[in-house]
Amino acid sequence: MAKYKIAWLPGDGIGIDVLNAAKIVLDELKLDAEYIPGEIGWEFWCKEGNALPERTIELLKKTDCCLFGAITSKPKEEAEAELDLSLKGKGYVYYSPIVKLRQLFNLRTNLRPCKAYPGNPLNYRDDIDLVVFRENTEDLYSGVEFHPLPQEVMDVLLKNHKSMKKFEKTSLDDMAVSLRIVTRKACQNIVRDAFEYAKKHKRRSVTVVEKPNVIRETSGLMIREARKIAREYPGIPLWETNIDAMCMWLVKNPQDYDVLVTSNMFGDIVSDLCAQLVGGLGFACSGNIGDDYAVFEPTHGSAPKYAGMNKVNPIATFLSAKLMLDWLRETEKANRLENAIAAVIAEGKVRAYDMGGSSTTTQVAEEVARKL
Ligand code: NAI
Ligand code: MG
């Protein structure tokens, strides 16, 4: 029996191209793993009314972790229009399978390293090495939203908060509310993950990115918990910045920052900014990590216009596989894979279109495999 069971979810569009490429590289690494394919994505929404079928969830439960490609999702109306005729009008509602996965397996930490590999013509600078820790389950993504606002919710808010007064005359239908819910436990978990990572990888600093001067309670809770936890890591300074200023600093001096930690929405934004500093979607890897399960994926989507063309850059997926190897404590293999990727980038002979080259997805994979 193989040492690891890895759920293999290509999903839609270029998710299939990049996972095929990842297979070439992982085979070369001779990871002692069984890769078990699972079904996820748009096709299953259309055919079954569920983009994340129950059998896929069962598969994930039987595996150690998962490598995931990408999925297509569409707005509500379009989703309904493409649903199989036999399922229409039966109450099927589209939800994002990746958001669902995060919640089902409590994949509470979103890890997004953004490192500039020298020789990448898309680098903003060559000395950037950022790691973003984004809380993955709460905040504005809690899914607690109202439109129109129910009268009883309005009443409770009016009764409990004087700032509601200015909305008193707005009709309930002209108002939408999305709740930003943040728990102490989640703040502690994400900050601790960031500090543990900083300690393990000998990082210089941890920066907590919030907006406590305006969003006093939720951002405030995060900052207060971060300060407490920081005391347990005396060698690693805690820096505090506001999300808006952080965006400016990242454009001005990205090399000064190291580990960033933040809540879900700000993390979504700031991690995309960081990713673009080091080459964009072709390089942006991620891990969704829980206490006993993890899903690794490139952060790009299914890029329908390139689907099946063997054209897109698979490096984001290789770097995601590298994170997976780290998580499995296959450190030697993880380092070898990263070195091979870095060598291919440095050499610059084999490049996908986004780097200005004309190599195919498979050719990039084969070159990384050769370096291994
Ligand atoms: P996208 O990330 O799929 O593609 C946007 C553009 O970025 C592409 O057209 C291409 O020019 C470039 N790009 C993406 N990946 C690349 C790669 N590996 N190498 C080189 N260039 C690359 O985002 P888009 O077009 O907004 O969304 C397409 C579909 O993907 C939508 O249905 C969306 O909902 C879904 N999506 C899924 C995600 C996921 O599976 N986690 C994340 C983001 C979008
Ligand atoms: Mg995003």
Side-chain angles (χ1 to χ4, degrees):
M1 217 177 72
K3 188 168 175 196
Y4 305 112
K5 281 197 166 102
I6 298 177
W8 193 259
L9 307 188
D12 298 310
I14 63 164
I16 297 165
D17 302 49
V18 294
L19 250 58
N20 284 338
K23 190 68 176 27
I24 294 173
V25 167
L26 286 168
D27 283 348
E28 186 66 36
L29 268 174
K30 298 195 172 53
L31 181 68
D32 185 8
E34 183 189 351
Y35 303 99
I36 310 173
E39 297 178 322
I40 188 169
W42 195 248
E43 184 188 339
F44 304 98
W45 160 252
C46 298
K47 284 201 306 213
E48 304 175 21
N50 187 355
L52 178 63
E54 204 52 46
R55 58 187 178 279
T56 306
I57 297 171
E58 288 309 310
L59 164 71
L60 296 191
K61 286 182 185 161
K62 287 192 205 105
T63 53
D64 296 293
C65 63
C66 167
L67 193 65
F68 166 60
I71 42 122
T72 297
S73 28
K74 299 186 188 179
K76 211 171 143 202
E77 287 76 24
E78 277 175 68
E80 266 155 36
E82 290 188 38
L83 194 57
D84 190 89
L85 221 48
S86 65
L87 302 175
K88 276 205 172 95
K90 296 208 170 134
Y92 289 96
V93 182
Y94 184 80
Y95 55 80
S96 159
I98 185 70
V99 175
K100 184 84 189 278
L101 272 182
R102 287 171 185 161
Q103 316 233 318
L104 264 176
F105 290 87
N106 190 26
L107 305 175
R108 56 183 171 75
T109 297
N110 192 240
L111 168 65
R112 286 187 55 175
C114 298
K115 181 166 167 180
Y117 292 96
N120 182 355
L122 303 170
N123 285 346
Y124 187 66
R125 298 172 55 115
D126 276 351
D127 55 359
I128 299 171
D129 189 359
L130 298 156
V131 182
V132 181
F133 282 82
R134 164 186 170 195
E135 199 290 319
N136 219 10
T137 58
E138 303 188 339
D139 187 5
L140 287 170
Y141 292 70
S142 310
V144 184
E145 303 193 285
F146 303 98
H147 182 245
L149 192 66
Q151 183 65 55
E152 62 262 38
V153 176
M154 180 62 147
D155 292 344
V156 167
L157 292 176
L158 275 170
K159 198 171 138 213
N160 287 282
H161 216 295
K162 55 181 186 304
S163 301
M164 266 316 275
K165 200 92 182 118
K166 60 177 170 287
F167 301 113
E168 197 175 21
K169 299 217 159 55
T170 310
S171 97
L172 296 172
D173 194 42
D174 289 336
M175 202 184 318
V177 172
S178 304
L179 280 187
R180 186 177 204 231
I181 303 177
V182 167
T183 65
R184 190 187 307 277
K185 189 81 213 151
C187 294
Q188 290 171 341
N189 284 339
I190 195 72
V191 173
R192 191 168 295 287
D193 284 351
F195 271 100
E196 280 298 316
Y197 181 96
K199 186 172 148 190
K200 184 169 169 210
H201 297 273
K202 302 193 170 50
R203 294 290 187 143
R204 292 168 296 162
S205 64
V206 171
T207 304
V208 59
V209 185
E210 283 295 329
K211 186 85 182 175
N213 52 334
V214 178
I215 318 173
R216 290 168 186 278
E217 299 311 332
T218 45
S219 282
L221 186 59
M222 176 75 111
I223 298 285
R224 291 190 295 274
E225 292 308 318
R227 286 179 188 162
K228 278 188 228 159
I229 287 172
R231 285 189 219 122
E232 297 170 34
Y233 300 86
I236 309 165
L238 174 71
W239 296 350
E240 298 173 15
T241 60
N242 285 343
I243 175 67
D244 46 346
M246 189 75 235
C247 292
M248 287 204 297
W249 292 122
L250 282 171
V251 173
K252 189 159 184 258
N253 306 317
Q255 72 284 0
D256 289 351
Y257 292 89
D258 201 329
V259 176
L260 310 182
V261 59
T262 182
S263 48
N264 208 341
M265 181 81 255
F266 295 157
D268 195 14
I269 297 166
V270 89
S271 58
D272 272 14
L273 169 50
C274 291
Q276 194 57 47
L277 297 173
V278 300
L281 289 174
F283 296 84
C285 61
S286 77
N288 300 279
I289 299 172
D291 287 325
D292 33 45
Y293 200 76
V295 175
F296 299 89
E297 52 159 340
T299 60
H300 61 71
S302 61
K305 70 178 175 198
Y306 296 128
M309 289 171 65
N310 196 23
K311 180 177 167 107
V312 295
N313 194 345
I315 289 178
T317 308
F318 299 166
L319 291 171
S320 305
K322 185 252 175 206
L323 291 181
M324 179 177 84
L325 293 168
D326 276 330
W327 188 79
L328 291 169
R329 298 204 173 79
E330 292 285 345
T331 311
E332 185 266 340
K333 286 188 167 59
N335 292 342
R336 269 173 61 211
L337 175 54
E338 185 179 27
N339 291 339
I341 297 165
V344 171
I345 295 172
E347 215 170 71
K349 282 196 307 215
V350 177
R351 285 176 169 173
Y353 85 96
D354 59 330
M355 298 174 77
S358 56
S359 306
T360 64
T361 308
T362 313
Q363 283 167 340
V364 178
E366 283 165 350
E367 190 62 16
V368 171
R370 229 188 317 277
K371 287 283 186 281
L372 284 169

